[in-house]
Amino acid sequence: QTDKLRVEIDAVNGSIVSVKNRITGLEAIKEPRLADSFRLLVPMHGRRNNYIFGRKQRLSEFKMISSGEAMLIWHDVKGEASGTLSVTVEMHVSLSQTGEDVSFGVKVINNDKYTVEEVWSPVLAGLKEFKGAGLPEVHSCDLCGNLKKIRLFNGLSLMQGYFGTHRPVYLLTYPGKVLLPWVEINDGEEGFYLGVHNERQDSFTFCFELHPQHGSWADWEWPDEKKLKPKKPVGLLASIVHMPFIGRG
């Protein structure tokens, strides 16, 4: 941590359980029970839907490189359908010199026979209203430099969420729906920036996923925690999804 920013990592599974602005008090992860770190899609023969969820892994190594820099390593990760795979995930977490932002870099080493098609990183799960000022919006920039506001929490589309994905989602692909490689998640008063700073040009997707899900096919509203039976944590997942198609070696 710095005097401006604090990042907390779960010591058991490596999930990102807190990203907090120490000056304003804004906490991005309001529901730590949904906290996560990464996600991989590794299709098998006859079974494409084989996801690897970071929150379900056990952290193999944690290396503190400096006071503002750490390396997280997961060996032999487990897929939902495949079981253990010869795949290693390394995540480099570093705070900037100004102490105002945090970077997440991920490396996937595939020694298995299956191809790693999708890499989600970082996975920031458990987003909700920040200070009670209202449910956040996603802001991006259009071709003319105008601010574009997208309301996710109320009216999150079912049409993208029930045709093969786990939950209702909203996708913003770059380049395409967003013209610059960043978005801001803001509640009208304060928010945080999420962007890609790769040295080479790349195509990727900002993915926003609702947890647990809508109550029915006709329900587009943000879930009411008081009405959920059984009670489940409610929050939004935000991640950056690349499709590198990593083969063996």
Side-chain angles (χ1 to χ4, degrees), residues 208-243:
F208 301 91
E209 183 180 79
L210 179 63
H211 289 248
Q213 59 260 334
H214 296 303
S216 73
W217 67 270
D219 185 2
W220 281 35
E221 299 302 313
W222 182 251
D224 186 343
E225 294 183 59
K226 297 178 182 179
K227 296 180 180 180
L228 288 177
K229 295 181 180 180
K231 292 187 177 298
K232 296 180 180 180
V234 174
L236 195 78
L237 175 153
S239 187
I240 298 169
V241 184
H242 288 84
M243 302 183 69

Side-chain angles (χ1 to χ4, degrees), residues 121-133:
S121 175
V123 174
L124 303 175
L127 309 179
K128 301 172 74 171
E129 66 277 1
F130 297 140
K131 289 188 173 181

Side-chain angles (χ1 to χ4, degrees), residues 49-115:
N49 186 25
N50 179 46
Y51 273 100
I52 297 169
F53 297 97
R55 68 177 185 274
K56 295 186 178 182
Q57 312 303 313
R58 188 171 184 85
L59 190 62
S60 303
E61 299 179 54
F62 180 87
K63 301 177 181 179
M64 202 68 193
I65 301 171
S66 67
S67 60
E69 192 174 7
M71 179 70 76
L72 287 66
I73 303 175
W74 298 264
H75 293 299
D76 298 327
V77 294
K78 295 181 180 179
E80 294 294 284
S82 63
T84 302
L85 296 172
S86 293
V87 175
T88 294
V89 178
E90 299 179 357
M91 180 177 286
H92 181 249
V93 184
S94 61
L95 298 174
S96 66
Q97 292 183 351
T98 62
E100 297 177 341
D101 51 71
V102 57
S103 297
F104 298 91
V106 67
K107 179 180 180 181
V108 177
I109 303 169
N110 183 12
N111 290 312
D112 208 274
K113 63 181 179 179
Y114 299 116
T115 299

Side-chain angles (χ1 to χ4, degrees), residues 6-246:
R6 184 186 70 200
V7 179
E8 293 185 19
I9 304 294
D10 187 280
V12 176
N13 63 11
S15 291
I16 305 163
V17 296
S18 176
V19 180
K20 186 173 184 177
N21 185 326
R22 299 185 69 196
I23 296 176
T24 66
L26 182 145
E27 171 62 66
I29 311 296
K30 296 295 290 291
E31 180 48 91
R33 290 179 294 175
L34 294 174
D36 211 332
S37 52
F38 70 89
R39 187 184 297 185
L40 307 179
L41 174 63
V42 187
M44 304 161 57
H45 302 306
R47 176 69 182 269
R48 287 197 52 80
N49 186 25
N50 179 46
Y51 273 100
I52 297 169
F53 297 97
R55 68 177 185 274
K56 295 186 178 182
Q57 312 303 313
R58 188 171 184 85
L59 190 62
S60 303
E61 299 179 54
F62 180 87
K63 301 177 181 179
M64 202 68 193
I65 301 171
S66 67
S67 60
E69 192 174 7
M71 179 70 76
L72 287 66
I73 303 175
W74 298 264
H75 293 299
D76 298 327
V77 294
K78 295 181 180 179
E80 294 294 284
S82 63
T84 302
L85 296 172
S86 293
V87 175
T88 294
V89 178
E90 299 179 357
M91 180 177 286
H92 181 249
V93 184
S94 61
L95 298 174
S96 66
Q97 292 183 351
T98 62
E100 297 177 341
D101 51 71
V102 57
S103 297
F104 298 91
V106 67
K107 179 180 180 181
V108 177
I109 303 169
N110 183 12
N111 290 312
D112 208 274
K113 63 181 179 179
Y114 299 116
T115 299
V116 179
E117 292 192 3
E118 294 179 8
V119 177
W120 301 39
S121 175
V123 174
L124 303 175
L127 309 179
K128 301 172 74 171
E129 66 277 1
F130 297 140
K131 289 188 173 181
L135 296 172
E137 298 175 329
V138 172
H139 296 173
S140 64
C141 190
D142 67 16
L143 186 61
C144 298
N146 299 314
L147 190 65
K148 181 180 179 181
K149 298 182 180 181
I150 303 167
R151 194 74 171 172
L152 294 179
F153 291 77
N154 291 324
L156 191 67
S157 175
L158 287 171
M159 300 309 291
Q160 294 184 77
Y162 284 83
F163 293 126
T165 56
H166 289 273
R167 295 174 179 87
V169 297
Y170 192 89
L171 305 175
L172 290 171
T173 300
Y174 169 84
K177 286 189 176 180
V178 288
L179 299 177
L180 295 174
W182 60 268
V183 295
E184 181 190 34
I185 301 176
N186 192 298
D187 66 1
E189 294 186 7
E190 190 175 359
F192 66 91
Y193 164 99
L194 182 64
V196 174
H197 288 230
N198 287 347
E199 293 182 358
R200 62 183 178 84
Q201 180 72 17
D202 199 2
S203 177
F204 58 86
T205 299
F206 293 104
C207 180
F208 301 91
E209 183 180 79
L210 179 63
H211 289 248
Q213 59 260 334
H214 296 303
S216 73
W217 67 270
D219 185 2
W220 281 35
E221 299 302 313
W222 182 251
D224 186 343
E225 294 183 59
K226 297 178 182 179
K227 296 180 180 180
L228 288 177
K229 295 181 180 180
K231 292 187 177 298
K232 296 180 180 180
V234 174
L236 195 78
L237 175 153
S239 187
I240 298 169
V241 184
H242 288 84
M243 302 183 69
F245 287 84
I246 303 170

